[in-house]
């Protein structure tokens, strides 16, 4: 059976490539999605990708995922540090969720060291640019027992 | 004269019934609205109900309420603990607002003990599941002088 | 079967009516007890009321309640914010307890926003003056299954 | 008209003279009351003195004072630092209250620097041993307009 | 060359004029925009104005500004104090942004004294009602070298 | 010469055996006193035991102990964490006092890790149920030089 | 009637131009005063300027201003973050005071984000170098009703 | 032998009478000094009075006092809360110093509750307007053994 | 069956007797081990004693204990306050561990009041010098059911 | 060219498999090293593995790594939260280091949410049991440009 | 070329010798200056010494030093802990500054452990009485390359 | 008589010269020891030098020093900020200890501003690279009375 995975990108990630490339790398979000798509195809996995800078839209996407997905790879961006509503959304559904970050957030400003999302996720991968997503996908598939 | 009341449900409450039933009960949001509707009819009160997981949409609903409602029963969900914008929305209009929670939030994680909404509400009812809403409606009506 | 409920009033509540009426209302404690008595009679419930400004006497009343009562409506007054001994008393017995306040304590001084009692209570009702007690009684009866 | 003043001594003050004389002086509580009595007589003032180590008993004494006294000189002892119930008792009545301490509490352990009583008192006198009481009496009389 | 400026109004600012006039003044948002428009015309500047109470919509407006604007005058309202996502949005684009407030936020509640937006803005003007916007426009134009 | 020891039990300890047996054990307070009595008899020591849930009554008992006892074994219960008045009572008399707890308080909720009593006690024994008392008695006797 | 304004420069501002030009700009204090003088002349306003690195001298200047000035533009420099005495000086007189900073202080070290002066000022302008002063003058004149 | 006392007034006290009379009273500093002078004459005490809003000038006055004075009555104004240098000045000389305040500082803003001066003073009198000074003088004389 | 117990001494305890005898007593570590050996012999218990000032060596000793010991009496010295690695070592094995201290650590410097070890121990005995160890041994044996 | 990688295991990891398997999994450290060895062989990478519970030994291993390794995969265990010396060791050498954890540390006790190591690492992978190591190896190789 | 050094003494240092000799030693400031003068002569260095208890005067002296001195040895006394204005003065000029203290400030009261001056100094020497100055002079000369 | 001094180097100092030369200088530890050796020879002092990155080994070296040394110059490296065990080791022996640092630790990351070692040392010298050691040696000799 093929696993289905939601790749969820939080606020400002649509600017990737253009935005502070020293911090976040020069790869665009479309390119990340393309690379993940290729890797997913190799692994026999179905991906859907969604980006929004709106807290509410991200929550809605998480709610809907419980109808079709087996797990989530979620980059909550700056909502990582403050959105208890996103945390409750993940807790409310029954899907393993991997927290992913492009940069090594624990090595940056103090406020970025606090994740209110982490306690409801299965694990966290941060600091490897676009490759963090690929590692997260593999981590999720390992958990789902398909790798 | 019949009072008109906005029942406002915050983030993730659309999942009620399915979401962590040990914590939030097995009653769905639609069922809560139905029960409140019955109770309102008995009391000669007109209710309108609205749910959103978006901070901005909740603020808009509060703004609009000042054109038609006499008061608000508001479950701000996880926005209780962080949304100064919601707080300012309630302060900006001139309607008594009751803060309502399904669970006893002060008995849970530390972050849930802080309500940034409370200082602009008339009172707070928490911990009685769907019945918290009914008590809140009665509390509001008592304040409005119709009970 | 008739439920039996202890209405427990904490420190300074004996001054109600005279004390800071802008904050606490003009209804005396005796009048609150009378109104609750009427409501209890309508609901077929037996009430006993007790007030003390002594931490120890309140603890003793809670201990004794386990011999006769089915639940407690408790206004801990200023002990809400500091009395771990009262908290342990409630935890030690096996009776559902509703925390009740006349004013909306979460909207007042910072020290009043902390309840050390809340984690051992089933719920909290605050901000509706004497009517908070009536709502609390209804909340307790709903929990006890008699309403 | 003769003013009437309650001299209220908090916890452990009954041990004065014996208790840590380096910190609190060698004068007993009875002797303090006697000296205050003499001074009151000279000033045409009526004093009543009460000591208790029980939070509740002190609150009761404050409540009763509003029936007969014009002001209170209050040494709350260690309750100074934690008793919101005593604070509420003073706020609930309508009598000017002077906070008095034998030792200079702000110069001792960190916990003694916090007075939860101060915001409801008219002033504070600390550090002059038994003489703090006499100064407090004069301060109160000045406020009452009799000196 | 004419400079182009985005005037960005955050949550609840649509209520201006009606909302707490003692704090925020009696001028409506439309009137502010009109006055700014007049001033801009005098200065040969093109303005576009946008208001939203949604975090996500504000972020989107900031993203789009990089395609047409030379700078931003931004009143983040209550998001000032909590929205790291808005902060990242400003940091992600390459436009000078002036933080503007109607009231003197540093003189109000403690939570309003913290700006998570400030570190990515060029400056801050607060406390002069609608006139804060005009000063901010002039400050931005000075920075852009057109005044 | 036979030593005399006050065994002082603080708030809620009268409920032992019935109260949360997983935490505090199934032995009643009377049974603890009986076992301590037997052990004291073997050691030629005279015990008096007192329990109260009132802060003031415990302080009075400590004051009186200085007239007859050689030391105190004191379980301050929840007053451990907040009662500066009890602390001052122990400091005011000249008797070695052992702080005793049934459960390992430092391993429980954060608030239980703070003892305001400890700085005026000679030592602390916690976590061994009723046997904590027996160890405390032996510790005290060792200090008094009789063992 | 011509308004009269005190331009008050706090500690270290005499070094402007030479001092950390990346942070504070290359314009000297004399040049700032000259530019303000020109602008004041255009606006029919009388300015007096004073600089001191002494807390006491700044307080004295504020005191004296109440005899001749209609308002103050005040750059408190590093005293912004610690001088309650300066705060009391402004509160003690009856003149509107604008807090001005060359750099965007809220974007710098944590200690610079705290202004103990702000609560007694009418508003704050920061981050625009010498131009902050000119904006502050205009803000003050707008408040005084002369622009 | 006649005692000699320095009456030391800190920052902004020169404005007394004019400054916030609701908080500080309508008596001028000159009038306070006159009344203290009268009282001192009655008590056979020599007073010298000094006011400055400069931290350094106050320190110098304290240093000089050790050459002629027997004690100090010191109102450190807002320096109470921050000036470790003043604290060290008092600690460095060998004169008993009474901390005096017109208002009840512990009942005002949080920052006014902290006295860095207190640990080096013999006592504190606050809240009785100009009469605080007279009480402080009596307290000091009592300590010096002349009353 | 004879119980086997590891007596584990942490950093600096090898200096006992010589080190700050006012605080820690004049008994050497060898003498403590000898006295414990005697007591163990009387109780039919086998002891092994180990001291190290190295965090890693203590962890290794704890690991090895699970192969031969029934319980541990552990004085973690200053590692009590900071070594999460020691805490994890105790949690990782399945042996009841008693935390023991010579001095009453909760009565000393603030940093000594925090035990990161306590949450994984069964109980704590502190303040009775070398005798703390003997009480701890008895407490452990009681737990193991051999006394 | 073959890359060489140090796999560094911190305190208590030698107990893996036996230690709290619910938290850390049932795979032993030897088995993890074997699986990593296989994966490394497939990728043409040379691994060396080292475990110690001693802070100093881990620092020494890091120092030595700069003579032979191209990067480090480091599980600092409980030293993650407190060892500034380990942090300095990593900062002192010039090798990319990946922080790896078996459990999702940010979802556990508060003290485990702080990593003093993170600011000197390139990234962090946590929560996937033994598979965290394999992902970390791949992340490091990606960084080294060999994958 | 001879180096020129400003020896700057902060508040209360004029009292040295007389002031708390147990803490600060019995050597007067004049004697320290004399000894430093001798040492400077030996090293071919020109010294100027200045003492003030006024924050502003110390800032002025630092400003003037940039016209003639090559470096500063600065004992900021109690201003060390609070004077951001002094910190800015040092940052504003371009001279290496050594922070010097007679006592070991990090070993005293908590407030003395914070130096707001340190981040703008090249180093710190504390605890060696008058000899701290001599060491600081040598440290500065070493930095200036003359030793 | 010749004094004997232990030069004790803490964690990571073996890497000096290679490690972050911008921060710590380019001089190796061997070279520092050589220079100190020369200086000691000139001063007739005997030095022994020891470096370890192990907390336990440093403690052992301190213990042994009491058998042969007259004082210690100690660079605790990163253990400065966390090792209460090292602090206790210094307190346990009777030798004056100078805390030395290559960099000006109070000017770096917040965690480096806290020294748990300082309260048991005689003084502190920081910021002068290798020369800090030489100054510390001179400071120690001055204390020992040999210079």
């Amino acid at each position: 059976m093929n696993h289905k995975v939601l790749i969820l990108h939080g606020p400002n990630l649509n600017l990737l490539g253009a935005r502070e490339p020293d911090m976040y790398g020069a790869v665009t979000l479309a390119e990340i999605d393309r690379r993940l798509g290729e890797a997913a195809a190799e692994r026999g996995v179905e991906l859907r990708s969604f980006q929004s800078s709106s807290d509410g839209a991200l929550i809605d996407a998480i709610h809907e995922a419980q109808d079709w997905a087996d797990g989530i790879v979620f980059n909550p961006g700056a909502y990582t540090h403050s959105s208890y509503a996103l945390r409750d959304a993940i807790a409310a559904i029954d899907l393993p969720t991997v927290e992913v970050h492009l940069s090594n957030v624990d090595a940056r400003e103090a406020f970025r060291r606090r994740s209110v999302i982490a306690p409801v996720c299965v694990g966290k991968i941060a600091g490897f640019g676009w490759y963090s997503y690929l590692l997260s996908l593999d981590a999720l598939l390992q958990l789902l027992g398909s790798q």
Side-chain angles (χ1 to χ4, degrees), chain A:
Chain A
M1 188 201 72
N2 279 3
H3 284 298
K4 292 171 185 158
V5 173
L6 171 62
I7 307 291
L8 191 58
H9 308 287
N12 296 304
L13 290 166
N14 51 317
L15 295 192
L16 273 185
R19 172 193 181 199
E20 301 170 81
D22 288 353
M23 179 62 76
Y24 298 106
V27 185
T28 64
L29 194 64
E31 175 64 14
I32 290 180
D33 281 345
R34 199 192 58 72
R35 293 186 189 177
L36 289 175
E38 275 184 17
E42 288 170 24
R43 288 154 174 82
V45 173
E46 182 185 332
L47 295 191
R48 293 187 208 167
S49 171
F50 180 69
Q51 189 275 333
S52 174
S53 294
S54 158
D55 204 339
L58 293 165
I59 293 171
D60 292 346
I62 291 168
H63 290 180
E64 288 159 19
Q66 71 183 336
D67 296 334
W68 66 269
D70 301 298
I72 304 178
V73 170
F74 184 21
N75 182 342
Y79 288 140
T80 304
H81 320 300
S82 62
S83 182
Y84 296 113
L86 272 171
R87 170 199 181 117
D88 280 2
I90 298 171
I93 61 169
D94 201 28
L95 297 179
T97 302
V98 176
E99 180 187 351
V100 62
H101 298 280
L102 296 158
S103 65
N104 191 12
V105 282
D106 290 320
R108 297 174 62 194
E109 301 98 322
F111 73 82
R112 292 198 205 269
R113 286 178 207 157
R114 189 175 75 124
S115 171
V116 305
I117 307 291
V120 296
C121 292
V122 292
K124 177 184 195 165
I125 295 180
F128 307 103
W130 78 271
Y131 199 73
S132 292
Y133 280 96
L134 188 53
L135 294 165
S136 296
L137 181 61
D138 279 343
L140 185 61
L141 295 178
Q142 158 80 1
L143 273 167
L144 294 172
S146 80
Q147 201 173 47

